[in-house]
Amino acid sequence: MPKEFTMTRRVQFAETDLAGIMHFANYFRVMEEVEHAYFRSLGLSVAMKLEGVEIGWPRVSTQCQYFSPIKFEEELQCHLRVTEMGNASLTHEVEFTGPDQRKVAAGKTTMVCVKRDQTGFTSLRIPDLIRQKIEG
Amino acid sequence: MPKEFTMTRRVQFAETDLAGIMHFANYFRVMEEVEHAYFRSLGLSVAMKLEGVEIGWPRVSTQCQYFSPIKFEEELQCHLRVTEMGNASLTHEVEFTGPDQRKVAAGKTTMVCVKRDQTGFTSLRIPDLIRQKIEG
Amino acid sequence: MPKEFTMTRRVQFAETDLAGIMHFANYFRVMEEVEHAYFRSLGLSVAMKLEGVEIGWPRVSTQCQYFSPIKFEEELQCHLRVTEMGNASLTHEVEFTGPDQRKVAAGKTTMVCVKRDQTGFTSLRIPDLIRQKIEG
Amino acid sequence: MPKEFTMTRRVQFAETDLAGIMHFANYFRVMEEVEHAYFRSLGLSVAMKLEGVEIGWPRVSTQCQYFSPIKFEEELQCHLRVTEMGNASLTHEVEFTGPDQRKVAAGKTTMVCVKRDQTGFTSLRIPDLIRQKIEG
């Protein structure tokens, strides 16, 4: 750690708002897309089954700071770093950079590993398979 | 039949796009909100359980015609009419009217009643309870 | 201050995800809806024109903590409190409560008043009209 | 004509709903993404300026038929064909295919070329530059 991952993502028309820029809530969707692409890059999925248990990763907290707007069809570079892995929780940060290397935004998410079943979610120690992949 | 239902719905900021109007794909979300509010008005839910069976209503087809744009904070009047109920399928139309009574859009959706379980969806005759409520 | 405002908002189908609960990013959309409803309750709009100037409120930072999931068709009670008003910036917090009074989530947003024109955004002292309405 | 374009697009978590599949309204967003990628592949943009005129493409009508659901992290192959170009209008169809070549959905959109300015939209003959690129 920190484990890193980078992805490029174009701003889509439906993600803009009447101010002509990407709507602030859509950064959270992109942040999640980066996280899931990162999991896939490790051969994992955020919605995987391990030994018959359906794993899930609900959010505990998430935040974003905005430095500069980004427009339709511009490309966001999204750089993820895992900054903390606890017993059941995982924290990562994502830096968003614009086409001219300008700082666009920075996000941070803490999520918790759970077992999902009919009754809901139960907190779960991050399984070793996942832990080892993230620790690299 | 036709069974009718009317609802008013304000256009939200996140639903607009850089052209300053409600994004065309959001009409489909609003159409679905009207349909679900209609079901609730009958004491039903689109995600209900009947005799242990989880009911679902996946779409078969959906369409929308656009006559005039609508802007942030304007109110859409949404008028739903059920136009056809088959063995397993249900078709409804929604007319969208703007604040000055101008015609904004008109949509149409056909969906099919299914039983949802682990293996997926199985087509289901619309249960009598639902059928009677819709027939009024 | 703090100025307060409360609104009830039902969770829509399209806002859920495969885990069966409202997707975490949608809290930011709801937070914005509450803020805009609050502005309207004061006779204001977040997209208003004052003396020929188009006002906007881009976000500086936003965050949310999640305590308990909420499901399709459940009603969220959303309680907004303005907690800080600076020269150009405005901070508010929103508490989300579920049907059984359980604490669902809590968000916080800081935004800045700007003048919007062809060249982009310019930071602006919060106009007196808006300031007075918020101070009550 | 028909001019064709193909793109692959992974289903994101936020695009699923509680039924565990991509929400039906999101096909319209993907359809638009394909259309915009097609325009870019021709060296065009749907939000371009030509000789000082801001061009836009509001929808006249759009529809989708659904054959088979698609799930989180599956890849949709999206195949666009322009089927009609009138004086101001453009129609295209998109076929969505799943990972195992199964037919997932098929959409169709008619949009109209407009000049966008302060007063709104004015219908516009499709400019020759765009017409030639589409005719190939």
Side-chain angles (χ1 to χ4, degrees):
Chain A
M1 298 226 296
K3 196 81 190 195
E4 315 207 4
F5 179 77
T6 299
M7 189 185 90
T8 293
R9 168 70 155 72
R10 197 182 292 279
V11 176
Q12 301 296 338
F13 195 88
E15 294 172 339
T16 61
D17 60 33
L18 66 84
I21 59 175
M22 184 159 94
H23 187 263
F24 81 97
N26 288 327
Y27 287 86
F28 292 96
R29 287 175 154 243
V30 177
M31 240 188 275
E32 187 187 48
E33 288 181 23
V34 182
E35 167 200 325
H36 294 182
Y38 164 63
F39 265 61
R40 283 192 297 273
S41 76
L42 301 176
L44 302 170
S45 167
V46 291
M48 73 198 302
K49 236 183 189 159
L50 278 177
E51 298 167 16
V53 175
E54 275 194 66
I55 309 288
W57 294 91
R59 316 285 123 170
V60 173
S61 66
T62 186
Q63 61 182 84
C64 192
Q65 285 179 277
Y66 306 92
F67 306 116
S68 166
I70 190 145
K71 293 188 178 161
F72 173 52
E73 292 198 326
E74 287 190 324
E75 283 196 331
L76 270 177
Q77 208 191 22
C78 312
H79 182 73
L80 175 146
R81 281 184 324 130
V82 175
T83 54
E84 220 180 313
M85 179 158 52
N87 189 49
S89 74
L90 193 63
T91 300
H92 63 263
E93 298 182 17
V94 177
E95 277 180 24
F96 298 97
T97 310
D100 47 3
Q101 299 311 312
R102 75 177 189 280
K103 223 174 151 176
V104 168
K108 183 177 178 178
T109 297
T110 297
M111 55 202 202
V112 65
C113 192
V114 299
K115 173 184 167 181
R116 291 199 287 135
D117 60 22
Q118 297 293 63
T119 66
F121 303 154
T122 321
S123 175
L124 190 75
R125 187 180 181 277
I126 298 173
D128 284 339
L129 173 69
I130 297 176
R131 193 174 288 278
Q132 285 155 17
K133 298 266 191 183
I134 290 172
E135 275 166 348
Chain B
M1 299 225 298
K3 196 81 188 192
E4 315 208 4
F5 179 77
T6 299
M7 189 184 90
T8 294
R9 168 71 155 70
R10 196 181 293 279
V11 176
Q12 300 295 337
F13 195 89
E15 294 171 339
T16 61
D17 60 32
L18 66 83
I21 59 175
M22 185 159 94
H23 187 263
F24 81 96
N26 289 325
Y27 287 87
F28 292 96
R29 289 175 153 243
V30 177
M31 240 188 274
E32 186 186 49
E33 289 181 24
V34 182
E35 166 199 326
H36 294 182
Y38 164 62
F39 265 61
R40 282 192 298 273
S41 76
L42 301 178
L44 302 170
S45 167
V46 290
M48 73 199 301
K49 235 182 189 159
L50 278 178
E51 297 167 17
V53 175
E54 275 194 67
I55 309 287
W57 296 92
R59 316 285 124 168
V60 173
S61 67
T62 186
Q63 61 183 82
C64 192
Q65 284 179 278
Y66 306 92
F67 306 115
S68 164
I70 190 146
K71 293 189 178 162
F72 173 53
E73 292 197 328
E74 287 189 325
E75 284 195 331
L76 270 177
Q77 208 192 19
C78 311
H79 182 72
L80 176 145
R81 282 185 321 132
V82 174
T83 54
E84 218 181 312
M85 180 159 50
N87 188 47
S89 75
L90 194 61
T91 299
H92 63 264
E93 297 182 18
V94 177
E95 277 180 23
F96 298 97
T97 310
D100 46 4
Q101 299 311 312
R102 76 176 188 280
K103 223 175 151 176
V104 168
K108 182 176 178 179
T109 296
T110 297
M111 55 202 202
V112 64
C113 191
V114 299
K115 173 184 167 179
R116 291 197 290 133
D117 60 22
Q118 296 294 64
T119 65
F121 302 154
T122 321
S123 175
L124 189 75
R125 186 179 182 278
I126 298 174
D128 284 340
L129 173 69
I130 297 177
R131 192 175 288 278
Q132 285 155 15
K133 297 266 190 182
I134 289 173
E135 275 167 349
Chain C
M1 296 225 298
K3 195 82 190 193
E4 315 207 5
F5 178 78
T6 299
M7 190 184 91
T8 293
R9 168 71 156 71
R10 197 181 293 278
V11 176
Q12 301 295 337
F13 196 89
E15 294 171 339
T16 60
D17 59 33
L18 65 85
I21 59 175
M22 184 159 94
H23 186 263
F24 82 96
N26 289 327
Y27 287 86
F28 292 97
R29 287 176 153 241
V30 178
M31 240 188 276
E32 187 187 49
E33 288 181 24
V34 182
E35 167 199 325
H36 294 182
Y38 164 62
F39 265 61
R40 282 192 297 273
S41 76
L42 301 177
L44 302 170
S45 167
V46 290
M48 73 199 300
K49 235 182 190 160
L50 278 177
E51 297 168 16
V53 175
E54 274 194 66
I55 308 288
W57 295 92
R59 316 284 123 169
V60 172
S61 67
T62 185
Q63 61 183 81
C64 192
Q65 284 178 278
Y66 305 92
F67 306 114
S68 165
I70 190 146
K71 293 188 179 162
F72 173 53
E73 291 197 327
E74 287 190 326
E75 283 195 332
L76 269 178
Q77 206 192 23
C78 312
H79 182 72
L80 176 146
R81 282 185 322 130
V82 174
T83 54
E84 219 183 313
M85 179 160 50
N87 189 47
S89 74
L90 193 62
T91 299
H92 62 264
E93 297 181 18
V94 177
E95 277 180 23
F96 297 98
T97 310
D100 47 3
Q101 300 309 314
R102 75 176 188 280
K103 222 175 151 177
V104 169
K108 183 177 178 178
T109 297
T110 298
M111 55 201 202
V112 64
C113 192
V114 299
K115 173 184 166 179
R116 291 198 290 134
D117 60 23
Q118 297 293 64
T119 65
F121 302 154
T122 320
S123 173
L124 189 75
R125 187 181 181 277
I126 297 173
D128 284 340
L129 173 69
I130 297 177
R131 191 174 289 279
Q132 285 155 15
K133 298 266 192 182
I134 290 172
E135 275 166 351
Chain D
M1 298 226 295
K3 195 80 189 195
E4 314 207 5
F5 179 77
T6 299
M7 189 184 91
T8 294
R9 169 71 155 70
R10 197 182 292 281
V11 176
Q12 301 296 336
F13 195 90
E15 294 171 339
T16 61
D17 60 33
L18 64 85
I21 59 174
M22 184 158 94
H23 187 264
F24 81 97
N26 289 327
Y27 287 86
F28 293 96
R29 286 175 155 243
V30 177
M31 239 188 276
E32 186 186 50
E33 288 181 25
V34 182
E35 166 199 325
H36 294 182
Y38 164 62
F39 265 60
R40 282 192 297 274
S41 77
L42 302 177
L44 302 170
S45 167
V46 291
M48 73 198 301
K49 236 184 189 157
L50 278 178
E51 298 168 15
V53 175
E54 274 195 68
I55 309 287
W57 295 91
R59 316 284 123 169
V60 172
S61 67
T62 186
Q63 61 182 83
C64 192
Q65 285 178 275
Y66 306 92
F67 306 114
S68 165
I70 190 147
K71 292 190 179 161
F72 174 53
E73 290 197 327
E74 287 189 325
E75 283 195 331
L76 270 177
Q77 209 192 20
C78 313
H79 182 72
L80 176 146
R81 282 184 323 130
V82 174
T83 53
E84 217 181 314
M85 180 159 49
N87 188 49
S89 74
L90 194 61
T91 299
H92 62 264
E93 298 182 18
V94 177
E95 276 180 23
F96 298 97
T97 311
D100 46 4
Q101 301 309 314
R102 76 176 187 281
K103 223 174 151 179
V104 170
K108 183 176 178 179
T109 297
T110 298
M111 55 202 201
V112 64
C113 192
V114 299
K115 173 184 168 181
R116 290 199 290 134
D117 60 22
Q118 297 294 65
T119 64
F121 302 155
T122 322
S123 174
L124 189 76
R125 186 180 182 276
I126 298 174
D128 284 340
L129 173 69
I130 297 176
R131 192 174 287 277
Q132 285 155 16
K133 298 266 191 181
I134 289 172
E135 277 166 348

